[in-house]
Amino acid sequence: SALPAQMAANPMPTYAMTPHMPLNLIWLAAFLRDDKRGHAAAIVVGFVAAGLHQIVFHPLFVVPFLLWRLREGRWQLVLSYGAAYAAILLWWMSYPTMLAHATGVGIQHGGSQESFLFDRVIPLLVHRDPTTIQLMTMNLLRFLSWQHLALLPLMVAVVPLALDLRKVVAPLFWGIVGTILFVGFILPYQGHGWGYRYLHPYLGSFALLGAF
């Protein structure tokens, strides 16, 4: 995972997407320990990761692994994570308003605090970008062009393994696919970045899938 050009170039500016990759890998290592300490550590890492940037990016990485455990009948574990992440997301959605009230910055300057749901989430769902397919095609081509040459054939080769839902390959692979579909629908334009920065958090997943 150290070889792609995106790995070297994307961390040069202060992009929040960059630390998502190591935090996702730390979360995964803690989660796969599958003991109380590991799950406690994963939730702590999840709290930090959810607050790095838009709160949706880290949960997108987490959900496939919870569904994987749910398939095994681990209801109590999945419900525990669900409750923890509900609290985490509620905290970070409320944080700007709490900070404004604590400092008085937004209030003193006459600015009203935006509603996270109505001012940020719903417009992304309602207002569709007519160039979504073109943007996502360019995003994925740019992503591949900034990766190691072996990535594409390795990703093709890992598909049969990803179809076996009993193995950890499945949540690694389908998490990437789900994220591509989600950002393609919600936020196809990445703004600034080298390669495709919305897949930067998954460079570790790509490396693990290549190893499989």
Side-chain angles (χ1 to χ4, degrees):
S1 62
L3 295 177
Q6 180 171 319
M7 180 65 73
N10 214 50
M12 292 180 184
T14 55
Y15 285 152
M17 302 308 293
T18 304
H20 270 290
M21 190 210 64
L23 287 178
N24 282 351
L25 290 176
I26 294 170
W27 183 94
L28 180 59
F31 180 79
L32 292 179
R33 279 175 55 112
D34 203 18
D35 57 19
K36 290 183 178 180
R37 288 186 178 182
H39 293 306
I43 289 171
V44 172
V45 172
F47 175 79
V48 177
L52 283 175
H53 190 44
Q54 304 293 348
I55 59 172
V56 69
F57 286 111
H58 176 68
L60 279 175
F61 177 82
V62 170
V63 165
F65 293 96
L66 297 184
L67 293 176
W68 179 51
R69 291 301 192 200
L70 191 61
R71 186 182 180 277
E72 299 174 347
R74 305 284 297 279
W75 287 92
Q76 185 175 359
L77 176 67
V78 173
L79 288 174
S80 298
Y81 269 92
Y85 271 86
I88 289 170
L89 297 182
L90 181 62
W91 165 266
W92 286 118
M93 285 190 289
S94 305
Y95 179 74
T97 301
M98 292 189 297
L99 187 63
H101 282 291
T103 61
V105 172
I107 300 172
Q108 290 175 358
H109 290 80
S112 61
Q113 291 304 307
E114 64 178 8
S115 165
F116 182 86
L117 178 62
F118 291 101
D119 294 344
R120 300 180 67 181
V121 177
I122 291 180
L124 289 174
L125 296 173
V126 174
H127 301 137
R128 306 301 323 125
D129 191 328
T131 61
T132 291
I133 295 177
Q134 296 94 313
L135 280 173
M136 286 306 298
T137 300
M138 289 188 292
N139 288 336
L140 295 177
L141 288 174
R142 191 186 308 111
F143 175 79
L144 288 173
S145 69
W146 278 66
Q147 306 309 312
H148 193 279
L149 288 173
L151 179 66
L152 185 58
L154 288 173
M155 289 305 101
V156 172
V158 84
V159 171
L161 296 177
L163 296 177
D164 186 349
L165 301 181
R166 296 169 299 176
K167 298 180 179 178
V168 72
V169 182
L172 283 169
F173 180 84
W174 295 111
I176 294 171
V177 173
T179 297
I180 291 172
L181 294 175
F182 181 85
V183 296
F185 180 76
I186 298 294
L187 195 63
Y189 179 59
Q190 75 161 348
H192 303 291
W194 285 275
Y196 182 45
R197 68 186 176 101
Y198 288 160
L199 283 182
H200 194 90
Y202 293 89
L203 288 182
S205 298
F206 280 108
L208 290 172
L209 288 170
F212 278 110

